[in-house]
């Protein structure tokens, strides 16, 4: 059996992220993804070049997005011989794409790949209910005038009411925010702790901008040159003034618009390759994607919708034979401040570690100074499918100047799933 090869992270590019219905009101999943991919091609001199596979997806998609990855690849200027594969696992989409492509590179199936994701709530599909859709199908099949009129027999104007996109979980009928409120209550997460984590995320992100960290990671799009959700001037007092966003009536709600990620538009892309492919083209190796894990939990029966990353990380570290003390940086996607805090608390809870993670001892406490040191989703925003690639690209750059370091990435997703990955810097 051939030895597995190391998977190099060459670099990344992304559009600035924009709050929904602001800078990208006229953009689409395709235009945003093509912009990110095109920026990656320009950055590494790959226009017209063949990449072995581009794997990308969107969570909120139109029917026209059926071949999104391929169309964006062509629009971005890569060789027509570059295939594009659509994929989707909610908020873990582009990180999962990186893991799949990484496995192909490691085994020698491909030499290069781009993992990417795009999402826009500003161009969300608006559809009609089933009854009117069925009428339209019957109308399309009608030949005579009588058949066409017959398709509207019993029609009422209420059928024209559009069905808005929903974040409700099909198995529970609750939104992600409502689920996270239940998690926060179950784990005893205070409003104060959530607001403090959110403030830290914004301050770390603002500092990263001031340091120039993002200068070579962003590709301007529709006139936007930086994320428009980062608030350098935010503070605890401002956070505390906001009312609960999901539980507005019980008096127990702790999740607000400020300690939850906003609806966001944007796209991200990460270039992965074998070391030989990168070196032959004079391209850098910022870091290595070394291992990954995807997990699910029984959220519909009380395990917590956004708690599956605890399982993914536990299984990943067990396989790697390492613990939290062996990790230098923790990049934990901040869907909600409460979700991060619940996760951290669970990893240090004896009963949870034994009953859910199957461990004899707790995983331990993580030093807050190692968590999201450049800020994360609460500050930058969260275009669902794009977040994993944003985090992976940021992590690779973070490790690129620090030999011998290791980072853990964790992303929660809808449907009670979690995606985790290990990234290591060059020696």
């Amino acid at each position: 059996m051939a030895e597995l090869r190391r998977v190099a992270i060459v670099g990344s590019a992304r559009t600035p992220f924009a709050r929904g219905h602001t800078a990208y009101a006229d953009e689409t999943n395709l235009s945003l993804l093509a912009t990110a991919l095109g920026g990656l091609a320009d950055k590494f001199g790959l226009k017209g070049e063949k990449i072995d596979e581009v794997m990308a997806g969107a969570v909120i998609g139109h029917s026209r997005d059926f071949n999104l990855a391929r169309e964006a690849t062509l629009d971005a200027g890569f060789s027509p011989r570059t295939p594009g594969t659509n994929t989707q696992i909610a908020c873990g989409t582009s990180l999962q794409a990186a893991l799949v492509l990484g496995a192909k590179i490691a085994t020698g199936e491909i030499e290069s790949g781009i993992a990417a994701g795009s999402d826009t709530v500003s161009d969300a599909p608006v559809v009609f209910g089933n009854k009117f859709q069925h009428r339209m199908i019957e109308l399309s099949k009608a030949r005579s005038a009588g058949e066409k009129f017959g398709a509207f027999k019993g029609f009422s104007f209420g059928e024209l009411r559009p069905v808005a996109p929903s974040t409700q979980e099909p198995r529970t009928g609750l939104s992600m925010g409502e689920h996270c409120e239940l998690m926060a209550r179950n784990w005893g997460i205070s409003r104060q702790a959530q607001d403090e984590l959110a403030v830290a995320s914004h301050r770390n992100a603002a500092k990263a901008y001031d340091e120039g960290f993002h200068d070579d990671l962003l590709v301007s799009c529709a006139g936007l040159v930086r994320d428009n959700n980062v608030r350098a001037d935010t503070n605890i007092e401002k956070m505390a003034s906001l009312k609960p966003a999901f539980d507005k009536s019980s008096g127990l709600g702790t999740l607000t618009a400020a300690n939850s990620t906003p609806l966001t538009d944007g796209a991200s892309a990460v270039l992965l390759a074998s070391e030989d492919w990168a070196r032959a083209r004079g391209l850098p190796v910022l870091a290595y994607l070394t291992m990954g894990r995807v997990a699910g939990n029984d959220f519909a029966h009380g395990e917590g919708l956004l708690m599956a990353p605890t399982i993914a990380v536990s299984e990943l570290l067990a396989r790697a034979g390492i613990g939290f003390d062996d990790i230098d940086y923790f990049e934990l996607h901040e869907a909600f401040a409460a979700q991060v805090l619940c996760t951290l608390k669970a990893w240090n809870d004896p009963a949870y570690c034994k009953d859910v993670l199957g461990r004899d001892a707790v995983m331990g406490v993580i030093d807050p100074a190692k968590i999201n040191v450049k800020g994360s989703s609460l500050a930058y925003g969260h275009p669902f499918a794009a977040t994993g690639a944003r985090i992976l690209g940021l992590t690779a750059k973070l490790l690129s100047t620090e030999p011998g370091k290791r980072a853990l990435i964790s992303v929660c997703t809808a449907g009670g799933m979690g995606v985790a990955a290990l990234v290591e810097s060059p020696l």
Side-chain angles (χ1 to χ4, degrees):
M1 182 177 178
E3 184 177 345
L4 293 178
R5 305 185 300 178
R6 294 205 290 181
V7 180
I9 304 173
V10 175
S12 66
R14 68 176 178 91
T15 69
F17 290 174
R19 295 175 70 92
H21 310 290
T22 59
Y24 298 153
D26 297 323
E27 300 300 316
T28 65
N29 280 330
L30 178 58
S31 66
L32 290 169
L33 184 57
T35 298
L37 290 172
L40 196 66
D42 288 334
K43 184 175 182 177
F44 296 111
L46 296 173
K47 288 282 186 171
E49 295 293 318
K50 175 184 178 291
I51 300 298
D52 287 338
E53 185 172 6
V54 173
M55 184 172 285
V59 176
I60 304 175
H62 288 265
S63 58
R64 67 175 182 246
D65 292 333
F66 73 96
N67 219 4
L68 177 65
R70 170 67 169 166
E71 293 298 331
T73 297
L74 295 175
D75 285 352
F78 289 100
S79 165
R81 293 186 178 274
T82 302
T85 303
N86 277 15
T87 190
Q88 200 258 76
I89 179 173
C91 309
T93 294
S94 49
L95 182 58
Q96 171 73 336
L99 295 180
V100 173
L101 292 173
K104 291 185 176 185
I105 293 169
T107 57
E109 182 178 341
I110 62 175
E111 295 293 325
S112 61
I114 296 175
S118 176
D119 258 303
T120 167
V121 297
S122 300
D123 185 38
V126 178
V127 300
F128 295 105
N130 289 338
K131 194 169 184 178
F132 191 74
Q133 288 186 47
H134 291 156
R135 289 190 189 280
M136 292 296 98
I137 293 172
E138 290 301 316
L139 182 64
S140 71
K141 295 188 297 183
R143 293 294 177 263
S144 68
E147 290 176 338
K148 291 178 180 179
F149 279 112
F152 287 92
K153 184 179 180 180
F155 169 78
S156 69
F157 283 101
E159 294 176 29
L160 296 177
R161 183 182 298 112
V163 179
S166 173
T167 58
Q168 288 182 330
E169 286 291 330
R171 295 186 176 277
T172 64
L174 300 178
S175 71
M176 190 174 286
E178 290 170 329
H179 270 284
C180 199
E181 276 283 11
L182 296 176
M183 287 166 47
R185 206 166 301 168
N186 182 55
W187 286 98
I189 306 300
S190 70
R191 166 74 181 270
Q192 175 80 11
Q194 293 175 55
D195 289 350
E196 288 174 353
L197 190 147
V199 168
S201 185
H202 280 277
R203 288 179 177 172
N204 286 345
K207 183 180 178 183
Y209 265 109
D210 292 343
E211 295 170 345
F213 183 85
H214 293 290
D215 289 353
D216 66 342
L217 299 180
L218 297 174
V219 182
S220 64
C221 181
L224 193 64
V225 296
R226 61 181 289 166
D227 308 298
N228 70 8
N229 189 63
V230 178
R231 299 288 183 267
D233 61 347
T234 194
N235 55 51
I236 289 293
E237 290 71 31
K238 290 181 180 179
M239 292 272 181
S241 68
L242 298 181
K243 296 180 179 180
F246 302 100
D247 180 356
K248 302 177 181 180
S249 59
S250 74
L252 301 175
T254 58
L255 275 69
T256 70
N259 60 37
S260 309
T261 51
L263 293 173
T264 314
D265 306 335
S268 304
V270 178
L271 176 60
L272 308 173
S274 67
E275 292 178 292
D276 289 342
W277 189 92
R279 287 169 180 161
R281 289 159 179 77
L283 298 178
V285 175
L286 301 185
Y288 295 98
L289 179 60
T290 59
M291 198 176 294
R293 191 75 173 182
V294 183
N297 72 358
D298 191 5
F299 73 95
H301 295 94
E303 288 192 349
L305 178 67
L306 306 179
M307 296 298 288
T310 62
I311 302 171
V313 168
S314 177
E315 293 175 349
L316 176 64
L317 297 189
R319 181 181 167 210
I322 61 176
F324 287 158
D325 289 342
D326 301 300
I327 307 294
D328 300 288
Y329 294 106
F330 293 82
E331 288 296 322
L332 310 180
H333 163 49
E334 300 166 341
F336 304 88
Q339 178 268 326
V340 176
L341 295 168
C342 288
T343 296
L344 295 174
K345 201 165 184 179
W347 280 329
N348 197 45
D349 183 81
Y352 187 89
C353 287
K354 180 179 180 180
D355 298 339
V356 179
L357 305 183
R359 288 176 169 263
D360 294 330
V362 297
M363 295 184 69
V365 176
I366 299 174
D367 181 356
K370 295 182 177 182
I371 299 174
N372 299 340
V373 297
K374 300 297 182 183
S376 194
S377 305
L378 287 169
Y380 298 120
H382 175 36
F384 307 121
T387 286
R390 175 194 68 77
I391 294 175
L392 184 58
L394 181 153
T395 302
K397 181 171 182 178
L398 182 64
L399 293 177
S400 64
T401 58
E402 299 189 41
K405 299 290 186 180
R406 183 186 284 124
L408 171 71
I409 297 174
S410 170
V411 178
C412 60
T413 88
M417 298 182 289
V419 187
L422 285 174
V423 181
E424 297 181 2
S425 61
L427 297 176

